[in-house]
Amino acid sequence: MNWILPIDALPSGSADQIGGKGEALRTLSEKGLLIPRTLCVTTRAYNDFVDGAGLREKINLELNRKVFSQMRWEEVWDASQRIRLLFLRAPMPAAMRTALEQSISRTFNDGATVVRSSAPEEDGSGHSFAGLHASFTHLHGAADIIRHLRLVWASLWSDAALLYRQEIGLDILTSSMAVLIQEMVPGQASGILFTRDPIHADHGIIEAVHGMNPPLVDGKISPDRWMLNAGTGEVIDHISPESRGQWQ
């Protein structure tokens, strides 16, 4: 498995290497749906970076100062901030940086890109991690992208992500992170589609806003919401927000 791969080279059924979002995008592309140009920085890159910089031992030290379940939120937050600094300060292997820079420059040149988390546990049937890991928009050039790649890696260890893993019974210390780098596509509207409503399996849900998507995901703006018949696509209900704003 390489450090970075284009979407059409991603292996099927390898969410442990390309993450939940990566696997979903690979499937959409395979089915013929149009998706933005996409590269995936695999979990191998994350693990090689962590092991090469000696971060695994330091992370274990931070999270084993006392029994994790007995740590106060303030202690978890402090530990997560120290781990974040480790990711920002640790040197990246020269061969990895070169491979990333070449692939990113060849695919995106200096165009606007988005960097998104794709941890293996994300977007699964049992847990989603929605909003717990970092994503960044409006990035330009390999250096900017790689700098934010480190921040996405570090967000695996945010206080919210750590507490969520504890709550759902995942082994914190075996976590890893793949990262998606995608062409940023400007649009007049954007949104989220649930092909199956988690509450009503025979319904689909579309939520959309004017402009770009982050304010919807972050809960800063109320969307238009459509409930659909999952089998026919027929609109069952439409809920309008009190106001509609344009977000960039």
Side-chain angles (χ1 to χ4, degrees), residues 202-204 226-230 233-238:
D202 55 343
H203 293 167
W226 291 267
M227 181 181 293
L228 312 175
N229 181 306
E234 178 187 359
V235 175
I236 298 172
D237 190 21
H238 172 221

Side-chain angles (χ1 to χ4, degrees), residues 209 212-223 243-245 247-248:
V209 296
M212 303 305 291
N213 210 23
L216 168 59
V217 177
D218 295 341
K220 295 178 179 178
I221 185 171
S222 297
S243 63
R244 294 185 177 96
W247 289 76
Q248 301 298 325

Side-chain angles (χ1 to χ4, degrees), residues 17 26-27 50 54 59 66-67 71 127 141 154 207 213 218 238:
Q17 300 173 59
R26 186 209 62 78
T27 302
V50 167
I59 292 170
K66 63 189 297 187
V67 177
M71 293 174 69
H127 29 75
E207 293 185 344
N213 210 23
D218 295 341
H238 172 221

Side-chain angles (χ1 to χ4, degrees), residues 3 33 38 62 65 77 85 119 129 133 147-148 153 186 197 199 202 206 229 241:
W3 287 317
L33 276 73
T38 303
E62 289 292 346
R65 294 178 182 271
W77 187 87
L85 288 176
F129 285 84
H133 297 141
R147 182 165 57 253
H148 287 85
W153 280 343
D197 185 341
I199 299 175
D202 55 343
I206 296 175
N229 181 306

Side-chain angles (χ1 to χ4, degrees), residues 89-157:
R89 294 173 176 173
M92 179 175 287
M96 180 183 296
R97 176 174 286 277
T98 297
L100 296 180
E101 288 176 342
Q102 290 178 347
S103 188
I104 291 168
S105 297
R106 183 169 56 248
T107 303
F108 304 109
N109 195 6
D110 195 44
T113 56
V114 178
V115 173
R116 307 172 64 201
S117 66
S118 184
E121 300 95 346
E122 284 190 69
D123 292 356
S125 59
H127 29 75
S128 69
F129 285 84
L132 295 184
H133 297 141
S135 295
F136 300 95
T137 61
H138 297 90
L139 306 180
H140 294 267
D144 196 23
I145 290 170
I146 291 173
R147 182 165 57 253
H148 287 85
L149 165 68
R150 289 171 176 265
L151 291 172
V152 176
W153 280 343
S155 73
L156 183 70
W157 305 99

